[in-house]
């Protein structure tokens, strides 16, 4: 699972190059880039959860913790929704800084 969480994040560069060569619409390229960002974020969240469980099961002290289904779901929601909240706050701060001269 740990290796799968690392390998799951895909790079949209090949798809973007193909869309440029075939003359794909810019909106489709934007959607693919956004989907790639979502994949990267999910990979980070799953890596965090699976690495903590892996370190716990291998007996590495101080790095791992016992993560069951309920704890895993709580961690997933906290990490993913927390990241979204931080992103929105930084976005609002940046918009405020750019347009309030």
């Amino acid at each position: 699972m740990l290796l799968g969480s690392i390998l799951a994040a895909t790079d949209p560069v090949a798809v973007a190059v193909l869309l440029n060569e075939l003359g794909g619409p810019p909106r489709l390229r934007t959607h693919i880039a956004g989907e790639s960002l979502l994949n990267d974020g999910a990979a980070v969240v799953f890596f965090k959860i699976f690495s903590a469980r892996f370190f716990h099961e291998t007996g590495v002290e101080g790095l791992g913790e016992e993560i069951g289904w309920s704890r895993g779901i709580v961690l997933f929601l906290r990490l993913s929704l927390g990241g979204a909240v931080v992103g929105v706050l930084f976005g609002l701060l940046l918009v405020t800084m750019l347009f309030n001269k």
Side-chain angles (χ1 to χ4, degrees), residues 16-26 29:
V17 169
L18 185 62
L19 285 174
N20 283 338
E21 289 177 0
L22 296 176
R29 282 179 278 189

Side-chain angles (χ1 to χ4, degrees), residues 28-99:
L28 183 58
R29 282 179 278 189
T30 303
H31 284 295
I32 289 173
E35 188 265 341
S36 175
L37 288 173
L38 183 67
N39 282 349
D40 291 347
V44 169
V45 169
F46 285 127
F47 179 80
K48 172 88 171 135
I49 293 170
F50 292 139
S51 64
R53 184 166 173 83
F54 173 77
F55 288 133
H56 174 74
E57 288 187 7
T58 56
V60 178
E61 293 187 29
L63 290 179
E65 63 179 291
E66 177 62 33
I67 298 177
W69 282 101
S70 60
R71 176 77 175 133
I73 291 170
V74 168
L75 272 174
F76 177 79
L77 291 174
R78 189 184 79 195
L79 292 171
S80 59
L81 295 177
V85 168
V86 169
V88 167
L89 291 176
F90 272 106
L92 290 173
L93 178 67
L94 183 63
V95 166
T96 303
M97 289 172 46
L98 288 175
F99 292 110

